[in-house]
Amino acid sequence: MKRKMSLFSLVMLTLSAIIGSGWLFGAGMAAQIAGPAAILSWILGAVVIGLIALNYIELGTMFPTSGGMSQYASFSHGPLLGFVAGWANWLSLLTIIPIEAVAAVQYMSSWPWSWANWTRGFLHAGNVTNLGLVIVFLFILAFTLLNFWSVKLLTRFTSFISIFKLGVPTLTILVLVLTGFEPQNFAAKAGFMPGGSASIFAATTAAGIIFSYNAFQTTINMGNEIEHPERNIFWGIVIAFGISTVIYTLLQVAFIGAVPASALTHGWSGVNFESPFADIAILLNLNWLSTLLYLDAFVSPFGTGVSFVATTSRALAAMTGTKHMPTKLGEVNRKYQTPRRAMIVNLVLGVVLVAGFRNWSALSNVISTSTLIAYLTGPVTVTSLRRQAPDFTRPFRLRHLKWWAPLAYGLASLAIYWAKWPTTVEVFGVIALGLVFYVYYEVRRPQGWPQLRASLRGGRWLLAEMIWLTLMSLIGSHQFGGAGWLPYPLDFVGVVLGSWACYALGVHDAYRSESLDVAAELNQRVTE
C-alpha cells in the first residue's frame, strides 16, 4: 500500500516550498521600493494570497487529486478554461524551479571566502553566465532526482530540511533585533513611507512578495497523496501559511532596523545589497551569522526547488487528463508513483527558461503574474459549483462566499495590475501561446470544432479580464508603468469595477460539460 503524507510532513513540505529564495532577496528589494512601509507590503501580500487560498481550500477538500489546481476550472466552465488555468498555473510553477537554482547560484557567486573565488564567474552584471548556467542545471537535476524515487524519499528530505530552513530565519530575526537594531530607521529619510502609498502595492509584485507566498498550492496539488485530505488540506495550509507570514513580516522588520545609518545616505532607494542579510551581518561584524546565511542561501532554495519539482510534475501530468497535451506526460511510474516523464520535461524547460531569463528579479515577475492569472479562476469556479453542484460533499465550506469570492477576485486583479506595464501584456502573450496546444488537440477529435465553439463561452470572461487589465495597465497611473491617463488611486477603482464585471460574467457563463462528471466521481471519494 502506498504511504501517504501525514499532516506534519505536509506542513513541512509546504513550509519548505514557501520559505525559499523569497526571504533571501524579498526584504532587501521591498525596502528599496517602499522603505519601512515594506512591512505593510508583506501583510498585504499575505491578505491577498490568504483570501485566494480560502477558495482553493474548499475546492481542494472537495476534489482531492494530484495536480488539482490544473483541473478545477474545467469542472465548472469546461475544458478550454480548465486548460488555460492549468497552463498559467503550470507556467508559474515551472519558473519556480529554475528561480530557486538561480537564487542559490547568485548567493554562491558572492561567497566572501578566498577558497571560493571560483564561484565569482557564476554571475556577471547581475545575470547568470554560461558557467553559472551549468551549475543551475546541476541544481535542477538534483531537485528532480530527489523526487524521482517516490513520495517517501521526498517527505523525509523536506521534513529534515524544513527544520533548518525555519531555524535560520528565526535566528536571523533574533540576532538582528538584539544586535544593532536602530528604531530611528523607521522614520529616517522621508519617514515611514518615503515612496508614497503606491510603493506599498508595487512592492508586493516587484519585490517578489506574491511569489514568496505562492507556495501554499503545494498542499492542494498533492491531493490524494495526503492522509485524510478532507481535513489535512485545510490545516496544512493554515498552519504553514500562518508561520510563513509571521516569519516574512518579522524578517522585514529586522532588516529595516538593522541597516546601518551610513547606508541610508541616499535614502532607501539607494540601499542595494547583493546578499541583503549576509551583507548586513558582515557590516555588524557578525561573521558567524553571515557564514550561516550563506549556507542557508544554498539550503533554502534547494528545499523549495525539491518541493516544486513534485508540484510542477503533478500539475503537468494533470493537464493531460483532458487530452490536450501528450498523454504520456501523465503516466505515473507504477513502482514509485511519480510522473517521471513530466519531471524530465520540466527539467529541460527549466534550463531553457534560465537561458532566457538569467536573473532572480525577471523570473519572479513572470511567476507572480502568471500565478495570479491562474488564481482568478478559483473564486469564479467555487462560486459556480455552489450553484451547479449544491449536493457535492464539502468538508470545508467557506462561509459568506458571496462576499469573500469577489473580494479575492478583485484583489488578485489588482495584484496583476501592480506588476506594471509591460510585464502584464508579456505574460498574457505567453499564456496565449498555450492555446496553440489546445486548438491542435481539440480539432483532431471527432467533435472537435463544435466542442471548441461550445467551450469558448466558458472562457470568454477570462479573455475579457485580460483585455481589461491590459488596457488599464496601458492607461493607468505612472506609478504602475501606465501613461497616466487615469491617476492613482482612481486606477485601482477602474481595475476593480471592470474585474468585478468579468467575475459576474464568469459565474453566469458556467455550464455543464463532461468535466463535471469527472468532478462528481472525485467528490464521491470524500467522506465527511
Side-chain angles (χ1 to χ4, degrees), residues 420-453:
K420 300 184 179 182
W421 178 275
T423 301
T424 46
V425 71
E426 289 172 349
V427 175
F428 291 163
V430 173
I431 290 174
L433 289 176
L435 293 176
V436 175
F437 285 94
Y438 182 87
V439 172
Y440 172 76
Y441 281 98
E442 186 71 6
V443 299
R444 296 177 65 191
R445 302 167 79 169
Q447 298 298 320
W449 283 111
Q451 287 183 2
L452 178 61
R453 286 192 293 269

Side-chain angles (χ1 to χ4, degrees), residues 26 30 65 71 103 142 148 155 186 189 228 230 260 280 314-315 321 367 422 428 442 516-517:
T65 179
Q71 302 180 59
F148 219 60
T155 55
F186 292 85
K189 296 293 180 182
H228 305 295
E230 69 280 357
I280 286 180
R314 285 158 179 78
I367 293 169
F428 291 163
E442 186 71 6
L516 190 59
D517 297 328

Side-chain angles (χ1 to χ4, degrees), residues 194-230:
S197 58
S199 65
I200 297 172
F201 303 106
T204 58
T205 302
I209 291 173
I210 293 292
F211 154 70
S212 299
Y213 286 126
N214 172 50
F216 81 86
Q217 62 173 288
T218 301
T219 301
I220 300 290
N221 281 320
M222 295 305 289
N224 57 4
E225 297 175 68
I226 302 169
E227 289 179 355
H228 305 295
E230 69 280 357

Side-chain angles (χ1 to χ4, degrees), residues 284-297:
L284 296 175
N285 293 318
L286 299 170
N287 293 326
W288 65 271
L289 180 60
S290 68
T291 300
L292 186 61
L293 288 167
Y294 278 117
L295 176 62
D296 188 67

Side-chain angles (χ1 to χ4, degrees), residues 227-385:
E227 289 179 355
H228 305 295
E230 69 280 357
R231 64 169 183 265
N232 285 348
I233 286 177
F234 171 79
W235 286 112
I237 290 177
V238 169
I239 294 171
F241 195 79
I243 292 172
S244 61
T245 299
V246 171
I247 289 175
Y248 275 131
T249 304
L250 291 179
L251 279 167
Q252 187 68 68
V253 171
F255 179 86
I256 291 168
V259 173
S262 58
L264 293 174
T265 305
H266 301 290
W268 286 100
S269 60
V271 177
N272 187 21
F273 295 123
E274 289 186 7
S275 308
F277 285 103
D279 288 348
I280 286 180
I282 292 173
L283 289 173
L284 296 175
N285 293 318
L286 299 170
N287 293 326
W288 65 271
L289 180 60
S290 68
T291 300
L292 186 61
L293 288 167
Y294 278 117
L295 176 62
D296 188 67
F298 177 89
V299 173
S300 287
F302 200 92
T304 302
V306 169
S307 300
F308 269 92
V309 165
T311 304
T312 308
S313 62
R314 285 158 179 78
L316 178 57
M319 287 173 63
T320 67
T322 60
K323 295 181 171 51
H324 293 103
M325 293 285 281
T327 55
K328 286 189 176 296
L329 294 177
E331 292 180 2
V332 175
N333 180 273
R334 291 184 179 180
K335 181 177 181 181
Y336 296 110
Q337 294 298 305
T338 55
R340 289 186 162 186
R341 286 193 177 94
M343 287 182 187
I344 293 171
V345 169
N346 289 335
L347 166 68
V348 174
L349 292 178
V351 176
V352 171
L353 272 171
V354 179
F357 301 93
R358 296 201 176 202
N359 63 72
W360 191 89
S361 179
L363 287 166
S364 68
N365 273 334
V366 173
I367 293 169
S368 298
T369 309
S370 55
T371 299
L372 288 163
I373 292 168
Y375 286 166
L376 287 174
T377 63
V380 174
T381 295
V382 74
T383 303
S384 300
L385 286 173

Side-chain angles (χ1 to χ4, degrees), residues 162-174:
S162 293
I163 295 172
F164 182 84
K165 291 176 67 176
L166 287 172
V168 174
T170 303
L171 178 63
T172 300
I173 293 167
L174 292 173

